[in-house]
Amino acid sequence: MRRVSVFGATGSIGCNTVDLLRRQGGAGAFDVVALSGGHNIALLAEQARDLNAEIAVTAYPEHLDDLRNALKGTGIIAAAGDEAIAEAAARPTDWAMSAIGGYAGLRPGLALLEHGGVLALANKESLVAAGPLMLAEAARHKATILPVDSEHSAIFQALVGEDINRVQRLILTASGGPFRDWSAERIARATPEQAMAHPNWQMGQMISVDSASMFNKALEMIEAKEFYGVGAERIEVIVHPQSIIHSMVAFIDGSIMAHMGTPDMRFAIGYALNWPERGNLPVAPLDLAAMGRLDFEAPDEDRFPALRLARRVMAMGGLAGAVFNAAKEVAYDAFMARQIGFADMAVYVERALDSAESRGDHNATTFDLDNVIGADRAARIATREAIGLRQAS
Ligand code: NAD
Ligand code: MG
């Protein structure tokens, strides 16, 4: 039986992953090693019992007693904290899902790569902050990274049997989010509640807000550059409000391969779970006649400056991705806490890039975890300071 783990099991991607594991036979078909979660202990314990996991870990030590109680009598190990998550990730698996939200997914992702096998990577932040390190670790341990972001899974599927040197450009589709046709003035006044309401996809809170600001697409541009190793000039974004085409690859002969389907992340998770084969997935078939039409429009980098900032990050290179992601996460927290406005997020991220560039923080002769951690920490401190927040202890 395949040994599998799911990190971030209680989140949006995690629940969809657990759903597919169950549909494909659950505890009878998979040897489930580790499941990790956060505050939702009841859900984590229910998943761990149902899949008969070896170990369940919550990120938060204050929930350890609750988790232990919920797992009493099952023989499933309960653990808590960042170290425990890293240790659980070090347990050998054949297939693992990295779906912790944000920068916190980096260390478990690196630990998962150490035992080879397949890493289904939803955590885009680890590629943005530490792409060269993730790829080097994968090569060193003969691990395979399969992208789970819908755009990158679409591109991966369009590239099967193809030569990346024959690719003219990667075309990432973007829904445009809830503010696609809003004026700049209205966007600037947007509230967290408005930003969280994504028109097409059911996702976690941070990625929903990042979709509204198009920071999500910015992260994905960098993710594409890191993962596929193509230059920034070969990465294009097109707004496609229906989210039916999940992304495209344009080849040098003028052909464009598009991946289409209903907006349901289980297509990408299931592709990674069954790779290199295709499994039967519970994804609703696409009714093209009912759909009627597909629309496209150019993205507006004035109303959505995150896209412009992504190009700057790609031009800066080095540790600029780590700076960008860290500043974005701090600005996101401040926006959600109503300490800054929606449009201010891009302002503070740009400022973090300015100061990193003027100090040369993004330059690194070697690309290792210490450098990434240093760049991340410096950018968080600088951004909190710029916003006027007290430093986290
Ligand atoms: P989510 O917020 O729904 O779930 C996040 C999971 O990570 C939860 O299990 C939570 O408990 C855990 N977690 C949060 N903070 C943690 C921390 N500090 N330490 C350890 N665990 C922590 O998020 P999501 O929408 O499922 O997204 C997860 C990842 O997948 C993100 O990197 C996101 O960008 C990516 N992704 C998500 C979607 C989607 O449709 N939701 C699509 C593409 C990519
Ligand atoms: Mg995506």
Side-chain angles (χ1 to χ4, degrees):
M1 281 204 288
R2 264 200 293 174
R3 286 172 62 85
V4 305
S5 286
V6 183
F7 286 80
T10 55
S12 163
I13 292 287
C15 285
N16 278 313
T17 307
V18 168
D19 174 60
L20 290 182
L21 291 174
R22 281 181 177 145
R23 288 169 188 267
Q24 297 198 7
F30 298 96
D31 196 350
V32 178
V33 180
L35 299 180
S36 91
H39 296 293
N40 194 343
I41 297 304
L43 177 59
L44 177 62
E46 186 269 319
Q47 291 175 330
R49 280 169 176 269
D50 184 60
L51 292 175
N52 194 25
E54 278 172 23
I55 178 168
V57 197
T58 162
Y60 307 104
E62 65 267 31
H63 298 318
L64 181 57
D65 285 345
D66 287 347
L67 184 61
R68 275 204 187 113
N69 286 333
L71 293 174
K72 202 174 274 167
T74 61
I76 300 168
I77 303 166
D82 294 342
E83 284 309 316
I85 288 183
E87 276 165 32
R91 294 181 176 228
T93 50
D94 304 300
W95 189 93
M97 167 59 75
S98 168
I100 286 177
Y103 178 74
L106 174 60
R107 269 188 66 202
L110 286 169
L112 288 167
L113 288 171
E114 280 183 29
H115 37 76
V118 171
L119 179 64
L121 186 63
N123 180 267
K124 64 190 85 190
E125 293 88 349
S126 48
L127 276 179
V128 171
L133 183 60
M134 291 289 289
L135 296 190
E137 284 296 278
R140 188 152 76 98
H141 301 290
K142 300 194 167 44
T144 303
I145 300 179
L146 297 177
V148 172
D149 219 339
S150 64
E151 295 76 5
H152 305 73
S153 175
I155 290 169
F156 189 93
Q157 296 185 43
L159 283 174
V160 170
E162 302 287 354
D163 177 353
I164 193 79
N165 296 313
R166 299 290 177 270
V167 170
Q168 193 222 10
R169 65 197 201 282
L170 305 178
I171 306 169
L172 301 176
T173 49
S175 69
F179 307 153
R180 180 173 56 88
D181 51 13
W182 286 28
S183 68
E185 295 69 32
R186 200 171 162 213
I187 291 174
R189 290 194 309 272
T191 64
E193 291 70 28
Q194 290 169 321
M196 280 186 288
H198 198 280
N200 303 343
W201 298 93
Q202 288 296 321
M203 307 182 288
Q205 205 163 283
M206 183 162 75
I207 185 173
S208 297
V209 173
D210 284 351
S211 296
S213 60
M214 294 193 81
F215 265 115
N216 181 50
K217 209 51 53 182
L219 294 171
E220 290 176 357
M221 292 165 75
I222 303 165
E223 181 185 9
K225 174 178 176 281
E226 296 297 341
F227 188 75
Y228 293 107
V230 303
E233 72 291 347
R234 289 203 287 164
I235 297 171
E236 182 181 316
V237 172
I238 185 90
V239 174
H240 164 47
Q242 294 96 347
S243 299
I244 295 300
I245 295 182
H246 297 133
S247 274
M248 300 175 253
V249 177
F251 293 92
I252 54 171
D253 62 359
S255 301
I256 294 183
M257 299 292 284
H259 180 287
M260 299 171 70
T262 39
D264 181 333
M265 282 308 292
R266 291 177 300 184
F267 93 80
I269 301 166
Y271 182 80
L273 183 59
N274 294 299
W275 178 88
E277 287 163 23
R278 285 188 186 272
N280 223 326
L281 298 177
V283 174
L286 190 57
D287 184 342
L288 287 168
M291 191 79 227
R293 54 186 276 183
L294 298 176
D295 296 307
F296 304 96
E297 61 195 50
D300 179 348
E301 297 195 1
D302 292 329
R303 285 183 305 134
F304 301 101
L307 301 174
R308 176 170 58 72
L309 297 178
R311 298 216 175 271
R312 179 163 172 206
V313 168
M314 293 190 283
M316 282 169 73
L319 295 159
V323 173
F324 179 73
N325 181 63
K328 196 276 302 173
E329 288 188 7
V330 171
Y332 161 81
D333 286 340
F335 168 68
M336 294 303 283
R338 293 179 162 77
Q339 290 158 328
I340 62 172
F342 186 80
D344 296 331
M345 287 191 284
V347 173
Y348 286 109
V349 172
E350 183 154 31
R351 229 186 258 185
L353 291 175
D354 286 344
S355 64
E357 194 162 48
S358 67
R359 289 197 306 256
D361 284 355
H362 63 294
N363 296 322
T365 41
T366 53
F367 202 109
D368 58 28
L369 186 56
D370 286 345
N371 287 337
V372 173
I373 291 172
D376 172 90
R377 194 170 290 154
R380 282 175 200 270
I381 291 172
T383 307
R384 283 198 197 99
E385 219 166 72
I387 297 175
L389 300 174
R390 264 192 287 156
Q391 296 301 333
S393 52

